[in-house]
Amino acid sequence: MSQSDLLHHYSQQFNQELEEIRTNVLAMGGLVEQQLEEALRALVSGDVGHGERVVANDYQVNALDVQIDERCTVILARRQPTASDLRLVLVVIKTTADLERIGDEAKRVARMAIRLGTADHSRGLFLEIEHLGTLVRGMLNKALDTYARMDVAAALEVAKEDQRIDREYENVMRQAITYMMEDPRSIPFVLDIIWSARALERIGDRCRNIAEYVIYFVKGKDVRHTNLDQIEEELIRR
Amino acid sequence: MRVGWSQEVWRLVGALMLSLIIGLATGRVRDCLLVGLAVMLALNLYGLQQFLAWLGASDGLKPRDAPGVWGEIYHRVYLLQRRNRKRKRKLAKLLAQFQASAEALPDAAVALGEGWDIRWFNEAATRLLGLRPGQDTGSSIRNLLRNPEFHAYLGAGQFDRSVEIGAPGQLGRRLSVRVIPFAGNQRLLLAQDVTDRYRLERIRRDFVANASHELRTPLTVIAGFVENMRHDGSAEARHWARPLALMEQQATRMQRIVEDLLLLSGLESGQAASDADDVDVAELIHDIREEAIAAAGPDAPELVVEVSTEARLRGGSPYLRSAFTNLVMNAVQHTPAGAQIWIRWRLDGDRGVFEVQDTGEGIPAEHLPRLTERFYRVDVARSRRRGGTGLGLAIVKHVLQNYDGQLEIESEVGVGSTFRCVFPATRLVFSANLEQDRGLAS
C-alpha cells in the first residue's frame, strides 16, 4: 500500500473525497502545530498576548474536528468503504481526535503562560521546558509528515522518539523537585511548570498514536499497546 | 541509390538469363526459371534477415557493407541513426544544463500541477521545505506544507504577493513563499530563506520598543520638575520663565514621540490584530470632533460630520481611535480658521470608507508616496513648530494593515487633501435588525 495505490481507485470521485479528507486532516494538523508553537513561545518569552491568541483560536481546531468527523460519517454511510478505504476513514477519525486533544494541551500550556506572565521567575526551569517543547514540536511535525507520506519506516522512528520525550520529561520533573526543595516559596510557580511539562509529555504520546495509525493503515496491523521491538519484529516478518 | 539499383537489376537479369540458357540447354525452361527466381528470393530474404539482425544488434549505428540495394539501405539507415543520436545528445545536454541551473538556485523551486500536486523540485526545496526526492513527487504540497497561513494564501489565490511562514520542521527558520502561475493551470512555487532579514527586522523592532520604554521614565521625571519650576512663582523662576516654557514644550513633545513609537511597535508585533471590538464609528467620530475642537481652540476650522451608514467596524477600538484622530488632527493643523473639513463614514459598494477631506494647502504629488514613512515631513520647520511627532501617518498605515484596511491619499496643491481609509466587507458588522431592513428593502 503506498501513495500510488491511494491514488488508484475505481471511482475517481470517491478517490478525490478521500484525498480531500486527508488534506483536511493535515491542515488541521498544521493549525495545531501553529497553536503549539505559539503556546511555547508565550511560555518561554512570557508574552501574554501570544498565549491569549492561542486560547482564543482553539475553537478553530474544535470546529475542524467536528467538520472532518461529519464528512467521515457521510463517506461511511454513502460509500460503505472496505479494506484500505475503510482503514483510511477510521484512521482519519482517530487522528482528528488526537489532534483535537493536542490542541487542548496547547491551550493548557498557553493558559499557564498567561498565568506565569512576565513575572521574573528563575529562568533555569524555563530552559529545560523549552528543550522539551522543541522535542515535542519536532515530533508533532514528523508525525504529520509521516501521515502525509504514509511512510511506515518514519512512523517507527516517531514512535521511538516518544521514549526520548519521556526521559526529558523526567528530567524536568527532577529539576522541578530540586527547585521546590530549595525554595518552598517557588512551589506555586514550579507547579505550573510541571503542569505544562505534563501537557507536553501528553502531546508526545498523542504523536505516537498518530504514527501507530499510519502503521495500521499501511500494514493493516493494529500495533497499539505493544512495545516497539515487537512492532518492528512484526513488520519485518510480514 | 542509382548504383545500388542498377546493380540489383543487373543481378536479377543475369540470374534470369542464366536460368534461361540452362533451361534451353536442358529443355526444361519453366522449371529452370522457377529455380532461378526461388534462389533470388531466398537471397533477398536472407538479406532482409541480416538487416533486421543488424538493426537489432547495433540500432543501425555500426556501418556495414552489403551487395546491391542492401548496401544502399544499410548506408542510409546508418546516416539517419547517427543524425538522430547527435540530436538526442544535444537535447539531453540542454535538459541537463537546464536542470543543473535550476538545482543551483539558492531558492527552493517546486513545479506544481493543477491540484497542487508536486511535479518536480530542486535540491534547495529538499533543504528548505523538507521535500524528499522520489518519494514526494505526486503528493499534494498542501499535505507537506501545513502552515495555516500558507493554506489561506493558496485558498485566496492572490499570487501577486508573497507569504512569510516558518520553515517546516526547522525551528527559527523563516521562508518567504510565493506562487507564480504559468502555462494555464501550472504553478511554480518559490521559497526564499529570509531568516536573516526577519531577525534583523525583529532586532530593530525590539530596539525601538525597548529604547522608547526606557526613555519614558526619565522624561516623566524631567517634565514633572520643569512643570513644578515653572509654576514656582519665585523671582528666579520668573527670570527663567521663557527657557522653562520651551523646555516643558519640548519635553511634552518628546513624551508624545515616545508614546507614538511604543504604539507603533505594538502595532508591528501584531498585538493589535487579534483585537476585535465592534466599534461604533459614528460615536467615535463625534468624540474625535469634540477633541479636535477643544485642541484647536478659537481658530479651529469648521468640522462637518457626514455619517451615511450604521455599519460598525470590527477592530481594536483604541487603535482605530488613534488612527482616525491622527487623520483629523492633521487636517485641522493644515486648514486655516474658518475653512471646512468633512469627516465621513459611508459605504462604497460593500466596503466601508472613513474619509477626512480638508481645504488646506494640499500636498505636492512628489511627497505622497513617502508620506507614511516615519519622521517624514513635507515641510520640516512648520511641522515641528506645530508639535507634530512625524509618526501620525505611520501609525494610521499600521493600524489599517492590522485590520485589512487601505489608506488612499488624494491631494491637490491649493485645493486640499483627502485621506481615505477603506475597509473590506469582512470587517463591517451590521446589527441583525439592520440586516433585516436591508433584506426587506431590496
Side-chain angles (χ1 to χ4, degrees), chain B residues 1-11 67-72:
Chain B
M1 182 178 178
R2 283 288 135 75
V3 186
W5 262 127
S6 53
Q7 233 178 33
E8 195 68 25
V9 170
W10 280 120
R11 256 170 57 177
V69 79
W70 283 113
E72 190 70 28

Side-chain angles (χ1 to χ4, degrees), chain A residues 42-75:
Chain A
L43 185 67
V44 172
S45 67
D47 183 344
V48 177
H50 270 116
E52 278 166 354
R53 211 177 312 163
V54 172
V55 174
N57 281 347
D58 188 53
Y59 82 93
Q60 291 182 5
V61 179
N62 296 342
L64 271 175
D65 180 31
V66 172
Q67 191 191 325
I68 294 172
D69 269 7
E70 232 161 57
R71 297 185 64 166
C72 284
T73 315
V74 170
I75 285 191

Side-chain angles (χ1 to χ4, degrees), chain B residues 143-162:
Chain B
N143 289 358
L144 295 162
L145 287 183
R146 295 176 293 267
N147 186 296
E149 281 161 51
F150 177 65
H151 277 216
Y153 172 71
L154 291 187
Q158 286 173 340
F159 299 133
D160 48 347
R161 59 187 187 94
S162 58

Side-chain angles (χ1 to χ4, degrees), chain A residues 23 33 134 137 145 149 151, chain B residues 130 135-136 143 146 149 171:
Chain A
T23 301
E33 269 181 275
T134 310
R137 266 183 66 188
D145 272 351
R149 298 185 171 115
D151 180 347
Chain B
Q135 199 176 8
D136 288 338
N143 289 358
R146 295 176 293 267
E149 281 161 51
L171 296 182

Side-chain angles (χ1 to χ4, degrees), chain B residues 110 112-113 116 153 157-161 178-190:
Chain B
V110 185
L112 298 169
W116 303 114
Y153 172 71
Q158 286 173 340
F159 299 133
D160 48 347
R161 59 187 187 94
R178 181 150 189 209
V179 170
I180 302 160
F182 71 97
N185 282 326
Q186 310 237 55
R187 285 103 162 197
L188 185 67
L189 179 144
L190 292 177

Side-chain angles (χ1 to χ4, degrees), chain B residues 31-105:
Chain B
D31 292 352
C32 282
L33 271 177
L34 267 178
V35 170
L37 281 172
V39 169
M40 284 307 289
L41 187 65
L43 275 175
N44 267 326
L45 274 178
Y46 175 72
L48 201 62
Q49 187 261 332
Q50 287 285 304
F51 176 72
L52 277 179
W54 171 77
L55 210 57
S58 71
D59 267 338
L61 287 169
K62 256 193 229 151
R64 188 184 151 146
D65 279 328
V69 79
W70 283 113
E72 190 70 28
I73 291 175
Y74 277 117
H75 185 60
R76 295 225 153 193
V77 171
Y78 167 69
L79 284 183
L80 198 68
Q81 289 296 82
R82 213 171 58 171
R83 218 166 41 225
N84 271 348
R85 189 163 66 163
K86 253 192 197 155
R87 197 182 301 156
K88 216 151 81 185
R89 269 201 199 133
K90 216 159 90 186
L91 280 176
K93 212 167 129 193
L94 263 176
L95 198 67
Q97 267 175 0
F98 170 74
Q99 283 205 332
S101 58
E103 291 293 347
L105 279 178

